[in-house]
Amino acid sequence: MIVNIAAYHFTPVDAPRALADRLRERAEAGRLRGTVLVAEEGINLFLAGADADIGDFLGDLRRDPRFADIVVKSSLSRAQPFARLKVKVKREIIAFRRDDASPLARRAPTVAPPDLARWLAQGHDDAGRRLVLFDTRNREEVGYGSFAGALTLPIDNFTDLPEALSPHREALADATVVSFCTGGIRCEKAALWMQASGMDNVVQLDGGILGYFEQAGGAHYEGRCFVFDGRVALDPDLQPLVDGVDAGAVPVAA
């Protein structure tokens, strides 16, 4: 079986190119495939390989004090879902282009997956406020599945989110808004930007949809979660939509 990992971590990186080169060398040594993004604000990675090789890579990464507590989400597949290894240095580990959305200074408040499942079951948060789940992903991803009744936006790129959200802001004023995405990185930036722009009623789903699947299953979620590799999408049991195929024949999204 192939182990698939997804992880991100915001931390200052003063030499992104040097870190990228080291991570590439370590991933190549373990015959890992996938994508690693490095920026001055941290790292974002999706990798797949043999269990022992993934373990060696993560052990080396966590020996760096900056990444000692990186949270990793794991799932299994029969086939390698990536065609090759790509390691890139970027301005941001997820492009948003908003100066008031940096998680280096602070994090937005979070709700843990079991708590969100409980809120959804009771129909409100612990303070009695109504809930609005806010999907920060693009329209292609949403097409594979989302939380029931979630607010979704007709966007193709994460950078389009602020403008697309504008018509909904007034209607969200009396709700607890829970931003969510695949693994947590986009909903974290979105929640910070929303707070900075005057919305003090926003929390982010800690760990995103994949973290929710791991800790709360599929309660209140409809469909699958799109992932950016040859598996295409995962169900709440973290089983792939496409499996057992040669990754070289599968288009891989960036």
Side-chain angles (χ1 to χ4, degrees):
M1 296 292 286
I2 298 294
V3 176
N4 303 270
I5 60 170
Y8 74 93
H9 193 71
F10 288 108
T11 188
V13 176
D14 56 6
R17 174 56 62 189
L19 177 60
D21 290 344
R22 179 168 69 83
L23 294 179
R24 176 187 292 277
E25 181 179 357
R26 194 66 192 86
E28 288 177 341
R31 300 173 298 280
L32 305 182
R33 297 181 189 174
T35 300
V36 178
L37 303 179
V38 182
E40 291 183 353
E41 66 179 6
I43 63 172
N44 185 18
L45 59 86
F46 301 86
L47 291 170
D51 187 21
D53 295 324
I54 289 288
D56 288 344
F57 178 89
L58 290 175
D60 181 73
L61 179 62
R62 285 174 169 145
R63 279 190 285 274
D64 184 330
R66 295 172 296 182
F67 306 108
D69 57 352
I70 189 171
V71 176
V72 178
K73 302 170 191 67
S74 301
S75 59
L76 300 174
S77 61
R78 288 192 298 272
Q80 168 60 257
F82 294 100
R84 60 190 184 277
L85 174 67
K86 297 186 290 185
V87 180
K88 299 180 179 180
V89 174
K90 296 283 191 177
R91 179 181 175 184
E92 299 177 78
I93 56 176
I94 181 67
F96 194 44
R97 300 172 191 156
R98 299 278 170 164
D99 293 335
D100 48 4
S102 173
L104 292 179
R106 62 187 178 90
R107 289 199 72 194
T110 63
V111 57
D115 290 331
L116 178 60
R118 177 170 54 81
W119 286 0
L120 290 170
Q122 67 193 23
H124 54 78
D125 69 7
D126 290 335
R129 290 167 62 97
R130 73 182 182 96
L131 297 172
V132 174
L133 273 69
F134 173 40
D135 198 329
T136 64
R137 302 171 302 156
N138 66 48
R139 71 179 91 206
E140 179 184 3
E141 297 168 83
V142 171
Y144 284 87
S146 188
F147 281 98
L151 169 62
T152 63
L153 302 176
I155 60 174
D156 296 312
N157 299 292
F158 185 46
T159 51
D160 299 331
L161 181 145
E163 182 177 357
L165 179 63
S166 182
H168 302 277
R169 291 172 66 98
E170 184 175 348
L172 299 175
D174 67 336
T176 291
V177 179
V178 181
S179 66
F180 69 91
C181 57
T182 305
I185 185 170
R186 283 174 288 182
C187 52
E188 181 159 1
K189 284 199 169 187
L192 284 171
W193 169 78
M194 291 165 75
Q195 284 192 326
S197 63
M199 297 181 66
D200 60 359
N201 56 330
V202 181
V203 298
Q204 67 185 51
L205 174 58
D206 198 19
I209 299 167
L210 296 182
Y212 187 89
F213 284 174
E214 286 182 343
Q215 299 180 46
H220 311 286
Y221 192 91
E222 297 178 342
R224 298 173 180 264
C225 178
F226 181 86
V227 290
F228 292 91
D229 59 57
R231 296 171 296 167
V232 182
L234 303 181
D235 68 16
D237 294 323
L238 299 177
Q239 297 302 304
L241 178 63
V242 177
D243 200 2
V245 297
D246 179 5
V250 177
V252 178

